[in-house]
Amino acid sequence: MLDIKFIRDNLDQVKAGLAKKGFTFDDIEFKRLDEARKSSLTKAQALQAEKKKASKQIGALIGQGMSPEDAKAQVMGSIDADISDAEVAAKQAEQALHELLMSIPNVPRDDVPHGNDEEDNVEVAVWGEATQFDFAAKDHVDLGEPLGLSFDAGASVAGSRFVAMSGKMARLHRALAQFMLDTHSEEHGYEETYTPYLVNKEALEGTGQLPKFEEDLFKIPNAQGDKDLYLIPTAEVPVTNLLRDSITVADLPLKKVAHTPCFRSEAGSYGRDTRGMIRQHQFDKVELVQFVAAGQSDAALEELTGHAEAILQKLNLPYRKVILCGGDLGFSAAKTYDLEVWLPGQQKYREISSCSNFEDYQARRMGARWRNPETNKPELLHTLNGSGLAVGRTMVAVLENYQQADGSIIVPEVLRPYMAGLEVIEAAQ
């Protein structure tokens, strides 16, 4: 959520920044609600002062022999009712203003390029050469099905956009997740973290998925009559909310890594990437989250993105790094890098990680703060996260980049310790 004082003091800057995201900021409505809130509060405060003054008059009348009831009726009149009305009006204006603020995206950084969609994202780096073969490259669906990747089995159990894995494919999927966790926790300084896979509405509001993007979520009615819960769309939600409504005194940065399944309805993506594992309702991801002090998040974004890149480099998977344009930037993000891995089966780069700086936008929604030891005062944290990496898409990239003419798959060297030394995955004879 944006700072209301920042909006008031920088209205033109906010409007221009949000326009970069394709969002039209209704400054007239903002001013109306802001003024209604302030005037209602001012009226309520003035009436309270009037009531305090009237109380002294009541005492004087009682001292002159008037009954307490008559004295109160003469002096107070309708002041209590007027105070109640003013307080109700103030609360209503406050709620309306809060709902408006919750609907406003984060303002992009100045270095975020202009553009409408992913076609306008700007390439900033390329690593490795696009893999080419002297035979016709297959995609991961044709490669994986003989090896234990079954989309038919997934569909029979849960419907379209689900996959089942068995044998070496299941082992490879697990190996990738373990390799990522080990690398980030042992080499990059992240604390391995386990969180619930179900979260409440407040957690999703804190990171920005609600209220705007409810159709993208799987909602679970609570049979016990408590609040409904939601399947997590990413570990970003529960991990970031671990610091909700708190003031941490821990040294910054705080760096956490979590491996979780993720669940997305893929609303609005009808007809896109229906083949294979690129766009699934359920997929696994290793998520990186950092909490840093204001002023440190620019450097933290570069570091976090580098940690995600390290996984691709250790796997020797060609990729490119792009900065998202305003029109492709997420609701809560101020700046995002995407890493796109080369897929020979599609002959194109596809997104495998998004790494974002949210500055204090999520922290303000969550009430996540830290106590600055230099001032001993609480300050809002800056939050960042990124995929380190999406496990299923990394598996897709391994299958396609390490395929051989006979359909077997060379196991990348860094994964062999997690595969009991297996060097090649071949179909069962």
Side-chain angles (χ1 to χ4, degrees):
M1 187 162 58
L2 298 177
D3 180 9
I4 190 169
K5 186 177 185 302
F6 177 80
I7 297 175
R8 292 190 195 114
D9 296 344
N10 303 274
L11 194 56
D12 290 340
Q13 178 185 341
V14 170
K15 288 178 66 176
L18 292 175
K20 189 186 284 189
K21 275 191 173 181
F23 182 89
T24 301
F25 178 61
D26 191 344
D27 58 321
I28 295 175
E29 179 67 2
F30 170 76
K31 290 177 181 177
R32 184 186 73 79
L33 291 175
D34 194 28
E35 182 56 39
R37 181 187 66 87
K38 287 189 288 186
S39 62
S40 297
L41 286 173
T42 299
K43 182 177 180 180
Q45 291 166 357
L47 287 168
Q48 288 287 3
E50 185 178 332
K51 180 178 179 179
K52 186 176 181 180
K53 181 179 179 181
S55 297
K56 296 180 180 178
Q57 297 175 5
I58 292 172
L61 290 174
I62 293 173
Q64 296 171 11
M66 186 179 291
S67 70
E69 293 77 10
D70 290 343
K72 183 176 181 181
Q74 178 176 320
V75 174
M76 298 295 287
S78 63
I79 191 169
D80 282 336
D82 292 342
I83 290 173
S84 178
D85 289 344
E87 289 177 342
V88 168
K91 288 180 181 178
Q92 290 175 339
E94 184 79 40
Q95 180 61 29
L97 184 60
H98 176 75
E99 291 175 359
L100 176 65
L101 291 172
M102 290 287 280
S103 71
I104 300 171
N106 201 358
V107 176
R109 295 297 303 268
D110 291 340
D111 57 346
V112 169
H114 289 272
N116 297 319
D117 52 36
E118 61 186 20
E119 298 299 323
D120 298 319
N121 295 338
V122 177
E123 182 179 283
V124 295
V126 177
W127 189 90
E129 295 185 5
T131 308
Q132 302 294 337
F133 301 103
D134 57 6
F135 55 87
K138 296 179 180 179
D139 71 6
H140 68 282
V141 178
D142 292 335
L143 288 165
E145 287 186 331
L147 304 176
L149 203 63
S150 178
F151 297 95
D152 289 340
S156 70
V157 171
S160 62
R161 299 199 179 190
F162 290 91
V163 65
M165 305 177 199
S166 59
K168 296 300 188 295
M169 288 294 95
R171 181 68 179 263
L172 178 62
H173 189 265
R174 174 163 60 91
L176 283 164
Q178 288 183 285
F179 161 66
M180 294 174 192
L181 282 172
D182 286 350
T183 301
H184 294 311
S185 60
E186 295 172 9
E187 299 181 19
H188 300 153
Y190 290 82
E191 178 184 40
E192 188 169 349
T193 307
Y194 178 85
T195 62
Y197 301 160
L198 291 166
V199 293
N200 56 33
K201 179 185 72 171
E202 290 77 13
L204 288 155
E205 288 175 342
T207 45
Q209 282 80 11
L210 287 179
K212 187 174 177 60
F213 302 104
E214 184 161 9
E215 67 174 3
D216 295 328
L217 304 169
F218 284 107
K219 187 175 183 178
I220 311 297
N222 196 318
Q224 281 70 44
D226 295 330
K227 292 181 179 179
D228 292 336
L229 297 173
Y230 297 81
L231 290 168
I232 60 170
T234 164
E236 165 199 348
V237 179
V239 175
T240 309
N241 274 275
L242 291 176
L243 269 61
R244 179 184 186 85
D245 294 327
S246 67
I247 301 175
T248 183
V249 294
D251 292 336
L252 299 183
L254 291 176
K255 299 161 65 174
K256 296 181 178 293
V257 59
H259 168 220
T260 69
C262 305
F263 305 89
R264 298 183 186 177
S265 71
E266 293 296 344
S269 64
Y270 180 79
R272 293 180 59 196
D273 299 315
T274 55
R275 179 176 168 84
M277 294 177 64
I278 296 297
R279 198 175 296 275
Q280 297 268 284
H281 290 310
Q282 175 185 314
F283 59 96
D284 279 38
K285 188 148 63 80
V286 171
E287 189 77 358
L288 306 175
V289 175
Q290 290 198 24
F291 304 90
V292 305
Q296 301 299 314
S297 57
D298 284 344
L301 178 61
E302 302 300 325
E303 178 192 65
L304 185 148
T305 306
H307 294 156
E309 291 182 77
I311 299 297
L312 290 167
Q313 293 174 11
K314 287 174 178 290
L315 290 168
N316 200 29
L317 292 172
Y319 68 92
R320 69 173 191 158
K321 174 181 174 182
V322 302
I323 182 172
L324 298 195
C325 69
D328 201 30
L329 196 60
F331 181 84
S332 300
K335 181 178 178 179
T336 297
Y337 290 117
D338 268 9
L339 303 180
E340 299 177 347
V341 69
W342 175 254
L343 297 183
Q346 297 188 27
Q347 287 291 296
K348 65 191 302 185
Y349 289 100
R350 296 301 304 264
E351 183 228 318
I352 197 168
S353 173
S354 284
C355 302
S356 300
N357 181 4
F358 304 98
E359 298 185 331
D360 62 8
Y361 185 87
Q362 292 180 327
R364 182 172 287 105
R365 294 168 78 106
M366 294 187 300
R369 296 172 292 169
W370 74 296
R371 190 170 297 281
N372 188 331
E374 295 182 2
T375 63
N376 199 36
K377 294 181 179 180
E379 299 176 5
L380 287 172
L381 290 159
H382 279 207
T383 61
L384 305 97
N385 69 55
S387 308
L389 304 162
V391 180
R393 291 194 179 192
T394 309
M395 184 172 173
V396 167
V398 168
L399 293 177
E400 295 196 11
N401 282 277
Y402 282 87
Q403 63 180 293
Q404 299 186 94
D406 62 359
S408 62
I409 309 297
I410 296 174
V411 178
E413 287 189 18
V414 293
L415 296 182
R416 292 175 189 176
Y418 300 91
M419 297 285 292
L422 185 68
E423 296 183 3
V424 179
I425 299 175
E426 298 176 303
Q429 299 299 317

